[in-house]
């Protein structure tokens, strides 16, 4: 079985080579991202394997379908970059629903601690033998209220970590989990009451720009905003204004709305063309990591193992894969997989 693997990075290869070889898969690694222009590389392959910044829109799906591709195997949890509605009936889509929710939740806490205790500044100072403490005053997390938006796998673990620090956790979820021991409130209340807000919900039409001027207007002065979910949950210009107006005390961003052509690349020798990102990075109270929250040994192994298993189970005679998804998945009324085990 031939697999076209797009947007390959050096850290992807070892685990995929290992699990691919063990299972007799012929994986063709391409460094380029999947786009309308590069879709032709999948010619002769039954599967394309993609990540978060590959484009899997209607035009790309049509090209892949015409090339005989049967399966799109996402090596990510989020699938907002795939037009699942358009793929329905043509190409099956599978994803990796969980590979290490700990990796992302722990990264969110790492960003928060770095920000509030000014570790990034202290690190740079002591490397130059500057041992001054001026400007490094932080604040205790203990006793603060953290607003967790989205209490799925990652949000729940982040909430647990925060409780370990003695913080009060207040959460908003479109589908609250009863008996989870989590204190839920309406979104506006969470925005108003939280000293720290961390986003852990998926990007959908409903959640796009959920953090906009209005939402920022409701927040406490000095709030710390953490986004390890998807960039477009936050209106980046509104965030920048909130920082300039001193409303947002700090921002910790692992994702950015326009990250697709920027993140995962070494652009250190280039002029940054994205003014909003350049301005955000120039702020002393903004920390940006380039979509690295998932990047742990454990997660990379789980991603490769699950993706290979997804591919194998799809091509087995029954063709049933627990991790298949489509635009109907999760909608109880419409979800065929819940009744007949396959999306189509
Ligand atoms: P999950 O599916 O377990 O949880 C998502 C939660 O969000 C669910 O409880 C769901 O009910 C809730 N939700 C759905 N719509 C909502 C809305 N409109 N408002 C509030 N809550 C809503 O997902 P998981 O595994 O916890 O991942 C969360 C997100 O983290 C993913 O969607 C993905 O975008 C992001 N992620 C980021 C990574 C990174 O490297 N930075 C790696 C992996 C995931």
């Amino acid at each position: 079985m031939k697999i076209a693997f797009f947007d390959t990075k050096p850290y992807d290869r070892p685990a995929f080579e290992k699990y691919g070889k063990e299972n007799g898969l012929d994986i063709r690694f391409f460094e380029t991202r999947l786009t309308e222009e590069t879709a032709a590389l999948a010619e002769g392959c039954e599967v394309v394997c993609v990540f978060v910044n590959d484009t899997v829109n209607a035009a790309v799906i049509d090209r892949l379908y015409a090339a005989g591709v049967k399966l799109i195997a996402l090596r990510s949890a989020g699938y907002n970059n795939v037009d699942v509605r358009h793929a329905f009936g043509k190409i099956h889509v599978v994803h990796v629903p969980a590979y290490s929710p700990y990796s992302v939740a722990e990264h969110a806490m790492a960003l928060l601690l770095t920000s509030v205790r000014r570790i990034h500044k202290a690190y740079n100072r002591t490397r130059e033998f500057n041992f001054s403490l001026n400007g490094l005053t932080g604040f205790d997390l203990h006793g603060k209220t953290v607003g967790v938006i989205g209490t799925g796998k990652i949000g729940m673990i982040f909430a647990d970590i925060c409780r370990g620090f003695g913080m009060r956790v207040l959460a908003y979820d479109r589908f609250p989990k009863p008996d989870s021991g989590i204190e839920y409130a309406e979104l506006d209340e969470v925005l108003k009451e939280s000293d720290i807000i961390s986003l852990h919900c998926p990007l959908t039409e409903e959640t796009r720009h959920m953090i906009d001027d209005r939402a920022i207007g409701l927040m406490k002065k000095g709030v710390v905003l953490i986004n390890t979910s998807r960039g477009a949950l936050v209106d980046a210009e509104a965030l920048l204004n909130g920082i300039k107006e001193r409303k947002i005390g700090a921002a910790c961003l692992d994702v950015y709305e326009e990250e697709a052509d920027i993140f995962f690349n070494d652009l250190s020798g280039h002029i940054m063309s994205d003014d909003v990102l350049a301005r955000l990075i120039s702020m002393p109270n903004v920390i940006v990591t380039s979509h690295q929250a998932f990047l742990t040994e454990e997660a990379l192994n789980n991603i490769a193992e699950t993706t290979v298993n997804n591919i194998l189970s799809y091509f087995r005679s029954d063709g049933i894969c627990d991790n298949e998804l489509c635009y109907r998945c999760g909608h109880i009324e419409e979800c065929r997989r819940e009744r007949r085990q396959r999306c189509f």
Side-chain angles (χ1 to χ4, degrees):
M1 194 186 312
K2 297 187 188 69
I3 295 152
F5 192 104
F6 286 91
D7 202 12
T8 312
K9 298 287 182 244
Y11 47 79
D12 290 320
R13 287 186 75 133
F16 271 94
E17 276 169 347
K18 172 176 176 277
Y19 289 107
K21 200 169 166 200
E22 280 173 13
N23 292 285
L25 302 180
D26 174 3
I27 307 182
R28 293 157 185 209
F29 292 99
F30 300 113
E31 286 181 16
T32 181
R33 281 193 280 134
L34 176 61
T35 62
E36 279 179 58
E37 289 70 39
T38 62
L41 291 167
E43 192 77 43
C45 294
E46 289 94 335
V47 184
V48 296
C49 183
V50 297
F51 198 49
V52 294
N53 288 329
D54 288 299
T55 304
V56 198
N57 60 17
V60 170
I61 289 166
D62 286 342
R63 287 188 188 201
L64 297 176
Y65 186 53
V69 170
K70 306 258 178 312
L71 184 71
I72 295 166
L74 284 146
R75 48 184 196 277
S76 62
Y79 51 91
N80 52 286
N81 54 328
V82 181
D83 187 340
V84 279
R85 187 176 279 272
H86 194 79
F88 189 77
K90 298 188 180 85
I91 305 184
H92 291 265
V93 182
V94 292
H95 72 146
V96 183
Y99 35 87
S100 172
Y102 301 99
S103 65
V104 183
E106 288 172 15
H107 191 77
M109 181 47 87
L111 287 173
L112 176 60
L113 283 172
T114 302
S115 173
V116 301
R117 302 311 302 268
R118 319 280 190 253
I119 303 296
H120 52 309
K121 294 190 173 297
Y123 174 79
N124 284 332
R125 277 191 195 181
T126 54
R127 282 173 63 82
E128 294 185 354
F129 305 107
N130 172 356
F131 300 106
S132 158
L133 295 183
N134 294 340
L136 298 185
T137 309
F139 64 80
D140 290 3
L141 293 181
H142 187 271
K144 296 293 184 302
T145 298
V146 59
V148 177
I149 300 182
T151 53
K153 293 174 284 298
I154 296 169
M156 279 294 191
I157 294 166
F158 183 73
D160 273 351
I161 294 173
C162 289
R163 282 193 287 230
F165 276 79
M167 301 165 85
R168 173 190 174 218
V169 175
L170 188 62
Y172 168 73
D173 195 298
R174 181 101 154 66
F175 309 97
K177 292 175 181 55
D179 308 324
S180 59
I182 290 273
E183 182 186 353
Y184 285 103
E186 286 306 314
L187 179 60
D188 284 2
E189 198 185 331
V190 174
L191 297 175
K192 280 182 199 159
E193 284 201 28
S194 302
D195 302 294
I196 295 140
I197 295 170
S198 195
L199 307 179
H200 299 289
C201 59
L203 175 62
T204 62
E205 278 320 304
E206 193 186 341
T207 60
R208 183 175 296 276
H209 285 188
M210 74 190 305
I211 304 300
D212 57 6
D213 286 323
R214 189 198 80 89
I216 292 170
L218 293 175
M219 293 177 192
K220 277 187 181 177
K221 187 170 161 48
V223 65
V224 179
L225 179 70
I226 309 166
N227 188 7
T228 56
S229 197
R230 284 292 179 268
L233 295 178
V234 177
D235 176 342
E237 291 198 24
L239 173 65
L240 187 55
N241 288 335
I243 292 167
K244 285 200 224 163
E245 287 162 8
R246 318 288 196 271
K247 180 77 187 251
I248 305 257
C252 305
L253 310 174
D254 185 52
V255 284
Y256 173 65
E257 188 168 5
E258 302 297 333
E259 71 180 50
D261 290 325
I262 300 172
F263 283 14
F264 307 135
N265 297 308
D266 179 0
L267 301 181
S268 54
H270 294 68
I271 305 294
M272 173 48 62
S273 54
D274 187 317
D275 288 350
V276 176
L277 181 62
R279 191 81 171 93
L280 283 171
I281 288 176
S282 76
M283 296 287 182
N285 52 354
V286 175
I287 298 176
V288 174
T289 52
S290 52
H291 208 134
Q292 84 175 66
F294 74 99
L295 196 64
T296 65
E297 291 288 344
E298 291 81 356
L300 290 173
N301 265 310
N302 290 340
I303 289 170
E305 189 176 18
T306 307
T307 304
V308 167
N309 285 337
N310 284 345
I311 294 169
L312 294 174
S313 47
Y314 172 79
F315 284 99
R316 278 193 202 117
S317 52
D318 56 10
I320 292 166
C321 175
D322 288 342
N323 297 329
E324 181 171 2
L325 52 83
C326 75
Y327 72 98
R328 291 168 162 177
C329 283
H331 300 281
I332 306 294
E333 305 287 294
E334 292 184 79
C335 189
R336 280 203 213 175
R337 193 156 57 86
E338 286 187 10
R339 301 198 304 268
R340 300 206 328 236
Q341 299 185 294
R342 292 201 67 174
C343 290
F344 59 89

